[in-house]
Amino acid sequence: MDIYVSIIATMFSVFALWSFIVYLFDVLWLNGENRRLNLRRQGIEGPLPVFLLGNVPEMKRMLSSAEKLQAEDPLSSHHRLMLLFPYFMQWTKQFGQSFLFALGRSQFMYVADTYLGLITTNGSVWYHQRKTIAPYLFMDKVKDRVELIVESVGELVKSWGNLIEANGGTADIRVDDYVRRFTSYVISNVVFGDEWQMGMEIFPKSLDLINAMSTPTTLSGIPFYRYLPTKKNREIWRLQKEIHSKIMEIVKKHNETASKDLLQVMIEGSKGDIGPSITADQFIVDNCKDICIPASEITAVSAIWGLMLLASHPEWQTRIRGEVSELCKGGVLSFDVLHKMKALKMVVLEVLRLYPATAFVSRQALTNLKLGDVEIPKGVNIWLGMLELHTNPNFWGADSEKFNPERFADGISKACKSNQAYIPFGLGARVCPGQSLAMTQLQVLFAVILSNFNLTMSPTYRHSPQYALLFKPEFGVNLLIRKI
Ligand code: HEM
C-alpha cells in the first residue's frame, strides 16, 4: 500500500513541477513571443531578444561602445542627442520608424513617427486620479499662482546677487540647485499650501529616489530584479518609505476645512469611488508623489537647459529683456503681461523642443487595441521617441537641429508640419495636466532672471546630456553671471 502512495506522491510532484516549469516558460518567454509574433506578422520587426534578458545585453554593449556625447560647442551639438540612444539609432536604420524590442520579459514597440495617431489606454485608478487633479491645474487656477511664482524667483535673485557682489561683479554659478529650489518651492506651495515647509523636505528625497532608480546595475533587466533585496533596492525602498511617512505626516497636520490646496483636493478625492485596489491613504500618497516628484524635477531640468541655451544666445536675452521693460514698465510681472510676451514664449517652446526632459512618451496597452493600421496586443508597451520627432527635418525643416525660437513666431502649427511632432507635454488623454503651470514657471523664471542678470557660458561647463529617467545635463550647468 505504502509503495502505491509513494508512487502517486512522486507522480503528483513530477506533474506539479512540470506544470510549474511550463507555467514559468509561458510567463517568461511564450507570452512575449506571442506578442512579438503578432506584431511581426503586421510587418513590425525588431532585434531578437535573449531569454530572460530581452535586448538589454545588446543595448548595454552598444551603449558602452558608443561615442561619449561631450561636445565642446553645445550650439552645434543638439543634433547629436540621439547618440544617447545608439540602439534606437541602429534599430531605426535597420527596421524603420517603428520596431520591437524587449527589456527583460517586457515587450516594447518604439515609434519615431506620428502616423499612429493618439494613443489612449488608461486604467480606472488613473481615471479617478486624473479627474481629481487636472481641473486644479487648469489655466484659470494657474493665473492666481503668478504672484507666488514671481515671489519664488525672488530668493534665487537675492542669492545670485550676493554671490556676484562677493565675487567682484561676476560669479561662476552652478545654477542647478537654485533652479531646483525655485521649482520645489512653487510645487510645495501648490500641493501642500500652509504645510509647504514640511513639503520641501520631500524634494531632496525625491531627487535621491530618481537618482537611485536611474542608476543601472549589472543585474538591471533581470526579471523580478526590483523585488531582490540588493543594496540599491533597499535604498529605493527606504526612500519610498520615508517619502510615504512624510506625506502622511503632512496629511495628519493638514487642516481639512481652511485650506484650498491640491492636498485638500486629493483628500476629498480619496473619499470618492477610488475602487477596491487602493486605500484612501495610498491614493493620497500616490497622487502627491506622482505630482511632486516629476513636476518639480522636470520643470527644473527644462529650466536648467533653458538657461544654458539663453547663455549661448545673447541676442535672445536682449530680446526678452526688451520685452520685459516695454511691457512691464518697471512694475511686477502679472499674468496679463506675461501673456503678451511673445519672444519669451517662443524661447520656452524652443527649449522644450530641443531638450524635452522626458525624452519619450510611454503607454501600455491594457487591452488589445488598434492604432492606425496596427493591432497592438494587450501588454505591449509603446514608446514614442520625442527627441526624434522634435528634430526630424521632415517636420521642422533643414534647421531642425538649431536653436531658433523664431520658428514659433506664428505658433506651433506654423512651426512644424504635423502637430503631433511637437509633444514635450505628451499627447492624448494623458497629456501633462501641469503644462500651464510649467510654462508659466519657465516664463517667469527667464523673464525675472534676464531683467536682473546677464548670462554667458562658463569655461567650466561641460556639455554632456545624459539620459537617467530624465534627459538632463550630466555635470550640471555652470554660467558666468553678472548684474545688469
Ligand atoms: C516643463 C515641465 C514639464 C514637462 C516637460 C512635463 C511633461 C510631461 C509629460 C511628457 C507627461 C506624460 C504625458 C503623456 O504620457 O502623454 C507628463 C505627465 C504628467 N505631468 Fe507633467 N510635465 C511638466 C511639468 C509638470 C507640472 C508642473 C505638473 C504638476 C504640477 C505636472 C504633472 C503631471 C502629471 C500629474 C502627469 C501624469 C498625467 C497622467 O498620467 O494622466 N507636470 N508631464
Side-chain angles (χ1 to χ4, degrees), residues 5 53 86 98 117 123-124 147 160 178 207 211 246 280 290 370 414 420 447 463:
V5 172
L53 299 177
S98 303
S124 59
E147 206 182 315
W160 286 9
Y178 297 94
L207 193 60
N211 289 337
K246 191 84 231 165
D290 288 354
K370 193 158 177 162
K414 292 281 185 312
Q420 283 179 33
H463 189 61

Side-chain angles (χ1 to χ4, degrees), residues 259-285:
S259 221
K260 282 196 198 123
D261 47 57
L262 198 45
L263 182 58
Q264 180 61 24
V265 175
M266 290 172 204
I267 292 173
E268 275 159 24
S270 72
K271 293 173 186 156
D273 179 19
I274 54 172
S277 62
I278 187 168
T279 63
D281 280 0
Q282 200 58 50
F283 179 86
I284 297 168
V285 171

